Amino acid sequence: MNNAKTGLAATLALAVGLAAVGPAHSDPVDDTLVIDGELEMVTRVKAPEGHPFDEVISGWHYRTDETRALEADTFQNPGMLYTQRGEEVWNTVEGEAGKSCASCHEDASASMKGVGAHYPKWNAAAGKPFNLELQINDCRVSNMQAEPYKFDDPDQKALVTFVKHQSLGMPMQIDLSEGEMQQWWERGKERYYLRMGQLNLACATCHENYNGNYIRADHLSQGNVNGFPTYRLKQANMVSLHNRFRGCIRDTRAEQPKAFSDDLMALEVYVTWRGTGLSIETPAVRQ
Amino acid sequence: MLKIGLAAFGACLPMSIPAGAQTASDATAETSMTGVPGDPDTGRKILADRKLGNCLACHTVSDMSEHPFQGDVGPTLDGVANRWAPEQLRAILVDAKMMFGDQTIMPGFYTLKVGVDVAEPFQGERILTAQQVEDVVAYLTTLTKDPN
């Protein structure tokens, strides 16, 4: 932390010194996200105690006018197709027990409202934090006697999107007082500042020190997770959070940790905390 | 040896540059690392190539305006030859951390001081070869037009 702070200060000092020769930094767009003209989203919020920023800002503010507009309109948002597919999966019986998600949880709009806003959550039986993917797999194995989904199975992405969407507009907030969540937070924080790969970059190098700048065509955001799974226009597909983490890590030319590995689960806990208070935007639309 | 532009530029960065520049000129050769002069045309290509320098990810160069989507993470390289002597440009490329400090985002292009968990194909490898560094330096020394 100390290190990172000094680094940031040095970077800022340098940036000021170079202002005469460097192009201007582009601020996040000043705009308000209202879904279908009805649901006003919290996309900027005061950062929690101990956060390196004063204000937490959704990645939505860093996208173009067209991309922002797509997310604001449910009919145009391509991610909504996956939400619909997720609803089908929710109602589909699978596994030896002859059950669907709906057999136990019934109407998702009631039973799942708010649920996705509070993950990852401590799972005492597993002795580690569970994200929605792991929780769903646990339900499939224990309650449905079905196979767990493989990472990024299209049905896994659709179902997670559907469940998260039931919390649309609700503030993201995880409970760090349960079990060993605080230790996982610490571990995630360490990882966030760890320089990796041949390019020698940490998450913080890009998302803490340079958000607001362009890296090629990409307007660097704070790297918040409140929109996941996210529809990425570049890939014309839904992208899960661990897929995004792995992509960012690959770009540093580092070995990519496996999805749901302890490293990535710790990062998910920490980065989710960094976005505390932002509205769940799933399915968000990004570049 | 130092150009006037550099002195003026150094004055706005009292904490890092003079010390860094000193170390670098002590530590690196004044002339080509390979004994072969760099080729500016090849250097220009390396700047744009996403698998090599990918310098345009972070820097703008108006001489390379045929490449869209130049980043602004670092300062423009326009006029960079007026701000740094060739041996300093070489030192920046070899290991930017020696020049700008540990926390710089700019990768070291000819160093094995890298981050953890380097992916298999890149293990023990430098990003550029010594000759490629020379080529890039040769191109950078042609950038004498200051930004407006």
Side-chain angles (χ1 to χ4, degrees), chain A residues 101-124:
Chain A
C101 311
S103 315
C104 292
H105 300 288
E106 299 173 22
D107 179 6
S109 67
S111 67
M112 292 294 127
K113 194 178 165 77
V115 168
H118 306 302
Y119 272 81
K121 250 189 185 163
W122 183 248
N123 186 296

Side-chain angles (χ1 to χ4, degrees), chain B residues 10-22:
Chain B
C12 11
L13 299 163
M15 33 35 115
S16 59
I17 301 304
Q22 195 57 49

Side-chain angles (χ1 to χ4, degrees), chain A residues 175-186:
Chain A
D175 186 353
L176 294 174
S177 68
E178 287 284 313
E180 293 163 25
M181 286 294 276
Q182 191 61 42
Q183 281 109 291
W184 283 77
W185 180 93
E186 297 285 350

Side-chain angles (χ1 to χ4, degrees), chain A residues 189-250:
Chain A
K189 180 176 172 185
E190 230 165 79
R191 183 73 220 200
Y192 196 83
Y193 290 97
L194 178 69
R195 292 275 188 153
M196 60 194 144
Q198 192 190 35
L199 302 190
N200 211 347
L201 301 166
C203 313
T205 321
C206 289
H207 292 295
E208 186 165 310
N209 298 355
Y210 283 99
N211 71 73
N213 286 93
Y214 279 88
I215 193 159
R216 286 276 187 189
D218 273 325
H219 196 193
L220 276 169
S221 73
Q222 294 182 352
N224 282 312
V225 303
N226 57 306
F228 281 85
T230 283
Y231 188 84
R232 276 196 82 188
L233 298 164
K234 212 188 254 180
Q235 287 165 248
N237 205 342
M238 287 311 279
V239 171
S240 68
L241 182 57
H242 286 226
N243 185 302
R244 174 84 245 188
F245 284 168
R246 281 166 53 82
C248 282
I249 291 170
R250 182 200 54 221

Side-chain angles (χ1 to χ4, degrees), chain A residues 64-120:
Chain A
T64 61
D65 294 353
E66 297 75 30
T67 307
R68 292 201 316 284
L70 277 180
E71 186 176 327
D73 182 340
T74 311
F75 286 102
Q76 287 197 46
N77 181 341
M80 289 306 293
L81 287 174
Y82 295 79
T83 310
Q84 287 158 22
R85 171 64 195 147
E87 184 165 19
E88 282 169 29
V89 179
W90 177 266
N91 290 305
T92 303
V93 171
E94 269 192 78
E96 300 293 306
K99 287 181 177 157
S100 67
C101 311
S103 315
C104 292
H105 300 288
E106 299 173 22
D107 179 6
S109 67
S111 67
M112 292 294 127
K113 194 178 165 77
V115 168
H118 306 302
Y119 272 81

Side-chain angles (χ1 to χ4, degrees), chain A residues 17-18 20-21, chain B residues 1-13 17-18 21 78-85 88-89 143-147:
Chain A
L18 294 169
V21 289
Chain B
M1 179 198 71
L2 294 192
K3 299 186 181 165
I4 294 159
L6 174 63
F9 177 67
C12 11
L13 299 163
I17 301 304
D78 289 358
V80 78
N82 307 332
R83 298 191 290 276
W84 302 94
Q88 293 177 309
L89 291 171
L143 299 178
T144 52
K145 196 173 140 279
D146 278 324

Side-chain angles (χ1 to χ4, degrees), chain B:
Chain B
M1 179 198 71
L2 294 192
K3 299 186 181 165
I4 294 159
L6 174 63
F9 177 67
C12 11
L13 299 163
M15 33 35 115
S16 59
I17 301 304
Q22 195 57 49
T23 323
S25 54
D26 289 349
T28 59
E30 302 269 316
T31 53
S32 166
M33 295 190 283
T34 58
V36 178
D39 171 32
D41 293 337
T42 310
R44 193 177 188 277
K45 292 195 186 96
I46 294 169
L47 256 82
D49 190 326
R50 285 165 202 255
K51 294 208 157 68
L52 292 173
N54 197 18
C55 314
L56 298 182
C58 296
H59 295 282
T60 58
V61 182
S62 44
D63 175 55
M64 300 185 71
S65 58
E66 76 275 19
H67 296 280
F69 306 123
Q70 305 187 357
D72 66 3
V73 165
T76 179
L77 297 180
D78 289 358
V80 78
N82 307 332
R83 298 191 290 276
W84 302 94
E87 58 271 25
Q88 293 177 309
L89 291 171
R90 182 180 298 111
I92 291 173
L93 275 163
V94 165
D95 186 358
K97 291 186 178 41
M98 294 276 291
M99 296 296 271
F100 303 130
D102 266 358
Q103 292 299 318
T104 184
I105 191 172
M106 180 162 156
F109 286 90
Y110 193 71
T111 176
L112 292 176
K113 279 184 265 158
V114 293
V116 302
D117 302 337
V118 174
E120 217 262 298
F122 306 109
Q123 281 170 20
E125 301 286 337
R126 297 172 169 91
I127 303 173
L128 297 178
T129 65
Q131 194 56 45
Q132 286 170 331
V133 170
E134 292 307 328
D135 295 340
V136 172
V137 171
Y139 175 65
L140 294 178
T141 58
T142 70
L143 299 178
T144 52
K145 196 173 140 279
D146 278 324
N148 340 315

